[in-house]
Amino acid sequence: MGIQLVALDMDGTVLLDDHLTVTPAVRRSIEQALAKGVTVVPATGRVAAMLPKVFYELDGIRYVINSNGASVWDRVENRVIYSNPIPAETVRQILQILEPYGLLTQIYCGGNIYAEKRSLARVVDLPFAAEFIENIRKTQIELDSFQALLEEHPEGVEKLNLAHVESGLREKLWKQFEAMPGVTVVSSAGSNIELNRDGASKGDALHHLCQRLQIPPENVMAVGDSGNDVEMLRYARCSVAMENGTPEAKAAAKYRTASNEQDGVARAIEQFVL
């Protein structure tokens, strides 16, 4: 039957290095896949509130894998159809570990991003272009403390993101979180740390979505570039890593395409879907 569903990572894959835009060729290839009846699914570490504008403009994008697979959103029904959150008590333990460092810590919950006012000032330290930093500012919900948020959501939250951590501290925290029961540690950029519930991944979310849609892995293509794409690449029988991808993403994928700056996604869709 060929490829029935295409799961696409965002940053470093579909999006250019500005983290905001796509090339005309990539947009055209996605439109052509949708016109062919293929289900195209953005699969991102972001929450719904930070889905790139282009995906709101494309007709036919119904499902979105958010927060590294902790949530799957149905845009037509405007509801979460799968969720795998970090328990609130585990989040409190993580925040206690982070307390001495004053890092920009973001909590992803209910399709939104929350940050405490005291740490949000560090957004200017992020190694991103000014336009993307401004986009981050606009999409954050400022809180005096995360405590009230956790009390409102005893079921837990989708993800914690440490937006930028210096290399020495990053290595130390990574090992500390890896040792915590019930927590998965991944990254979608060289300096960040992303924390999800153990077992939550883009691959897990893709598996649940495909079961719902009755699409077998043999008819799924996934394209990604980073550590948080590995499980998704392993799940899809047609898995494609970007030329700009990390070694672990390339090792998990069966095929390789050009970089995000060279229409890599367009080339992959043209080869395997169109």
Side-chain angles (χ1 to χ4, degrees):
M1 293 180 66
I3 300 299
Q4 296 175 267
L5 185 148
V6 176
L8 298 174
D9 170 56
M10 295 290 98
D11 296 285
T13 300
V14 168
L15 298 175
L16 293 170
D17 288 343
D18 63 3
H19 301 278
L20 294 169
T21 57
V22 303
T23 68
V26 168
R27 176 168 182 154
R28 184 166 58 250
S29 69
I30 294 173
E31 290 173 334
Q32 290 172 337
L34 289 167
K36 190 179 178 182
V38 175
T39 299
V40 178
V41 181
T44 178
R46 303 182 184 204
V47 292
M50 286 197 73
L51 191 66
K53 180 182 177 182
V54 63
F55 284 95
Y56 287 102
E57 298 171 346
L58 290 168
D59 290 332
I61 301 288
R62 176 167 183 174
Y63 303 103
V64 183
I65 293 173
N66 299 292
S67 301
N68 292 335
S71 170
V72 181
W73 178 38
D74 183 333
R75 293 182 62 208
V76 172
E77 297 184 2
N78 194 29
R79 68 184 182 94
V80 171
I81 58 174
Y82 177 69
S83 180
N84 194 0
I86 309 175
E89 186 51 43
T90 303
V91 176
R92 291 188 179 95
Q93 294 172 20
I94 293 169
L95 293 174
Q96 189 171 9
I97 291 171
L98 294 173
E99 180 63 31
Y101 304 111
L103 299 171
L104 172 52
T105 303
Q106 301 163 310
I107 287 183
Y108 293 26
C109 181
N112 295 307
I113 303 182
Y114 298 87
E116 292 183 334
K117 292 178 182 178
R118 58 178 176 164
S119 68
L120 194 55
R122 297 201 60 181
V123 71
V124 295
D125 298 329
L126 298 181
F128 300 129
E131 187 178 1
F132 186 59
I133 288 177
E134 183 58 28
N135 187 53
I136 292 174
R137 284 183 186 276
K138 290 178 180 178
T139 54
Q140 311 293 291
I141 297 175
E142 293 187 18
L143 301 174
D144 291 325
S145 169
F146 285 134
Q147 187 56 39
L149 179 67
L150 295 176
E151 289 174 358
E152 291 174 11
H153 295 275
E155 76 283 0
V157 304
E158 296 167 19
K159 170 182 148 180
L160 280 84
N161 182 52
L162 312 182
H164 176 56
V165 188
E166 298 296 335
S167 58
L169 178 58
R170 184 174 183 271
E171 183 177 349
K172 174 184 175 181
L173 290 174
W174 192 287
K175 290 179 180 179
Q176 197 166 356
F177 291 134
E178 271 191 326
M180 284 187 70
V183 175
T184 292
V185 190
V186 294
S187 177
S188 61
S191 63
N192 80 331
I193 297 177
E194 302 174 34
L195 305 171
N196 287 93
R197 183 175 187 164
D198 190 24
S201 70
K202 293 182 185 180
D204 172 66
L206 184 57
H207 165 73
H208 282 85
L209 178 59
C210 287
Q211 278 193 325
R212 183 184 187 91
L213 300 178
Q214 298 183 319
I215 298 174
E218 291 78 13
N219 301 114
V220 176
M221 181 173 87
V223 189
D225 77 305
S226 295
N228 66 340
D229 299 315
V230 166
E231 296 304 321
M232 176 174 76
L233 293 170
R234 288 174 177 165
Y235 175 81
R237 293 298 185 269
C238 180
S239 52
V240 186
M242 307 298 291
E243 184 56 44
N244 55 289
T246 63
E248 57 184 335
K250 291 177 179 177
K254 295 181 179 67
Y255 305 105
R256 191 86 54 86
T257 189
S259 76
N260 62 320
E261 293 282 330
Q262 297 175 315
D263 296 326
V265 166
R267 297 188 193 191
I269 290 176
E270 288 164 5
Q271 179 176 354
F272 296 109
V273 180
L274 304 178

